[in-house]
Amino acid sequence: MDTTIDKKRIIIMVLFIICILLISQLFSKCESQKVQLANIDALNKGLTVYELKNGQLVTSVENLVYTKEQLKKSLIMKDKKVKELADKFSNIKSITKIVTNTKFDTIKLVYQDSVPCNFERIDSVLKEWYHIAYKSNQKGVTITELSIPDSVIVISGEKRKWFWGKRTSVTDITHSNPFVETEHIQHIEVKEPIKWYDSTILKIAIGFIGGILLIK
């Protein structure tokens, strides 16, 4: 048996594996750079608003894409409420933080019977979670301004009760405004079936066959 040929085959096989690893790392680095540039672009663009056919406004924003390590160091995780909620998940798929301010311009409450005296009072109440400005007279009360600030945190991912426990897909939502309640949540994840040509087993088999052909 010619050991020289066997050594050459082993060297070729090793070089083949190294080349595959280097190419894989190169593609991974390029993809990572593309994601970082896309994140920067998304941060610079900010919000866009468009209108549905019924006149309803829709606010849209480009998603940021982070690895688990990048997420831990991100600005959003410096929010104590976000971090506390995120720590309850074993695997996080997405985090959404929404800041809203519900506003009403004018609300009139007219008395059925006028108060038998003329008067007018203008005042306002400014609290952390609501702001009301109003005008009252013998005819009724007019709320000239009503605003309700709120911020919403939505996290989707997987939870499990212990390390080897069953994983459950969950979406958690919390409001900073204690007067706002969530009545219903329906979250749907779209999962595409893995194509036969994109399976891990097929890739391993192709690599194995390719290595054997190179040795021969």
Side-chain angles (χ1 to χ4, degrees), residues 117-165:
C117 63
N118 294 330
F119 72 96
E120 183 176 83
R121 179 172 181 176
I122 298 173
D123 204 348
S124 63
V125 179
L126 180 59
K127 299 291 184 180
E128 182 180 3
W129 299 115
Y130 61 88
H131 175 215
I132 299 175
Y134 66 91
K135 180 174 68 173
S136 177
N137 57 32
Q138 70 278 6
K139 295 180 179 180
V141 179
T142 300
I143 299 175
T144 55
E145 182 184 347
L146 172 61
S147 61
I148 306 170
D150 188 25
S151 65
V152 188
I153 300 169
V154 184
I155 300 183
S156 294
E158 294 175 338
K159 288 184 179 182
R160 52 187 177 186
K161 294 181 179 179
W162 59 291
F163 186 76
W164 297 107

Side-chain angles (χ1 to χ4, degrees), residues 23-40:
I23 292 170
S24 176
Q25 287 180 354
L26 180 63
F27 277 109
S28 178
K29 187 175 181 181
C30 290
E31 186 64 25
S32 178
Q33 289 177 344
K34 286 181 182 178
V35 169
Q36 289 179 10
L37 290 172
N39 284 342
I40 294 171

